[in-house]
Amino acid sequence: MLLDSAFWQPWWQALCPLAIFGLLGWMYSLYQRNVHIIDSMWSIYFLITALWVAQGQILSERSVLLLIVVVLWATRLAAYLTIRNWGKPEDYRYQQIRANNSPHFWLKSLYIVFGLQLLLAWVIALPLVAAVQSDAPLHWLDMTGLLLSIIGIVYEGVADWQLYRFKRNPLNRGKVLDRGLWAWCRHPNYFGEAITWWGFYLVACAAGGWWTLFSPLLMTFLLLRVSGVKLLEQTIHERRPQYRDYIARTSAFIPWPPKAR
């Protein structure tokens, strides 16, 4: 697999539709003067890569099952983020990036925001590429990985729904959601995302793509240390004073019974 040019060629070719999609998103962000459309585009980058690699191939049972789960994951996440961000001002994290890269952020955003996330998604998608192209028979790891990914998608979806409902209530302005899945973990949506990708990796392992271990590791690292937990919690206590107490009694990432108040 690693030395087979037929394996790598569709992955390289996927850069073309990804670049077109990224360019269209960037142009839309210029019109809106707001780059948070990239949040909705993130999961679609993976979907485009998987579907592009799958085209023209005789799909195995593994490929079909995995593509169904990837479509479910990508469309749910993109739809939720689109609904959440619709009509709202640019997220404060992107506002900070804009301030740090002015002047001419409109041009710099093409590679700082849209291009960077495109390349990250393209590389992280390699477990999907390995699994979709494999014709090896189904293995118990396939079923385990698919089940784990579905659990992650449902877990993340429930967490997103609980947070969405909480924020829609004006009485909760400035408060901290510490009920439901958010009572056991400060970032259950990120945890669900992580186990979804570990599930995808297990499917890749069953297909011979054990070497794509870097993908779930990188995704978990991004969620914990880059664009997820660490970045979000740098300033959140300024907007929600109760968050310090929430940190003191609630696990950051892995669900765990909360400490007593």
Side-chain angles (χ1 to χ4, degrees):
M1 182 182 292
L2 285 172
L3 301 178
D4 187 357
S5 61
F7 169 83
W8 294 103
Q9 186 175 2
W11 179 66
W12 279 102
Q13 292 175 343
L15 277 174
C16 182
L18 287 174
I20 293 173
F21 181 62
L23 185 61
L24 291 174
W26 173 70
M27 293 171 64
Y28 180 78
S29 76
L30 297 182
Y31 171 73
Q32 292 288 325
R33 296 184 180 180
N34 188 327
V35 300
H36 69 199
I37 189 179
I38 189 61
D39 291 345
S40 302
M41 295 173 60
W42 169 249
S43 62
I44 305 301
Y45 279 145
F46 293 96
L47 181 58
I48 291 173
T49 304
L51 292 177
W52 184 268
V53 170
Q55 67 166 342
Q57 296 195 39
I58 300 176
L59 298 181
S60 64
E61 292 179 337
R62 168 185 297 107
S63 303
V64 173
L65 291 173
L66 179 63
L67 285 173
I68 291 173
V69 176
V70 172
V71 168
L72 174 64
W73 165 75
T75 54
R76 187 216 70 83
L77 185 58
Y80 165 73
L81 292 173
T82 300
I83 293 171
R84 187 192 70 176
N85 294 334
W86 192 265
K88 294 183 179 179
E90 193 171 61
D91 186 274
Y92 76 94
R93 289 170 290 182
Y94 292 125
Q95 290 180 12
Q96 185 176 19
I97 295 174
R98 182 183 292 273
N100 293 337
N101 291 277
S102 293
H104 308 305
F105 177 73
W106 68 272
L107 179 60
K108 294 177 183 178
S109 64
L110 177 60
Y111 54 90
I112 291 176
V113 178
F114 293 87
L116 176 60
Q117 293 205 29
L118 183 157
L119 291 176
L120 279 173
W122 181 62
V123 172
I124 295 173
L126 274 170
L128 308 180
V129 175
V132 167
Q133 294 196 76
S134 173
D135 57 0
L138 282 176
H139 190 273
W140 64 267
L141 270 179
D142 288 300
M143 298 298 102
T144 303
L146 290 170
L147 178 60
L148 185 62
S149 292
I150 292 172
I151 291 173
I153 293 169
V154 173
Y155 195 91
E156 182 179 14
V158 172
D160 285 339
W161 174 244
Q162 290 176 345
L163 182 61
Y164 179 74
R165 290 186 61 188
F166 180 82
K167 286 186 173 182
R168 288 195 66 184
N169 187 342
L171 297 178
N172 293 326
R173 186 179 300 276
K175 295 182 180 179
V176 175
L177 173 58
D178 58 358
R179 300 186 296 275
L181 297 180
W182 300 81
W184 291 66
C185 168
R186 301 201 301 272
H187 303 278
N189 49 346
Y190 294 152
F191 177 75
E193 181 78 356
I195 63 175
T196 297
W197 275 93
W198 282 101
F200 290 156
Y201 173 67
L202 291 182
V203 178
C205 284
W210 54 268
W211 51 273
T212 60
L213 176 62
F214 66 86
S215 172
L217 288 174
L218 179 56
M219 179 64 84
T220 305
F221 176 77
L222 291 174
L223 291 169
L224 280 172
R225 307 298 299 172
V226 182
S227 61
V229 175
K230 183 176 180 179
L231 181 61
L232 187 64
E233 293 193 343
Q234 282 181 349
T235 59
I236 193 171
H237 61 273
E238 298 175 3
R239 303 186 304 276
R240 291 177 172 80
Q242 299 174 357
Y243 205 84
R244 293 187 186 276
D245 177 64
Y246 184 53
I247 290 176
R249 55 187 168 82
T250 311
S251 171
F253 192 69
I254 299 176
W256 197 259
K259 298 177 183 178
R261 290 179 181 272

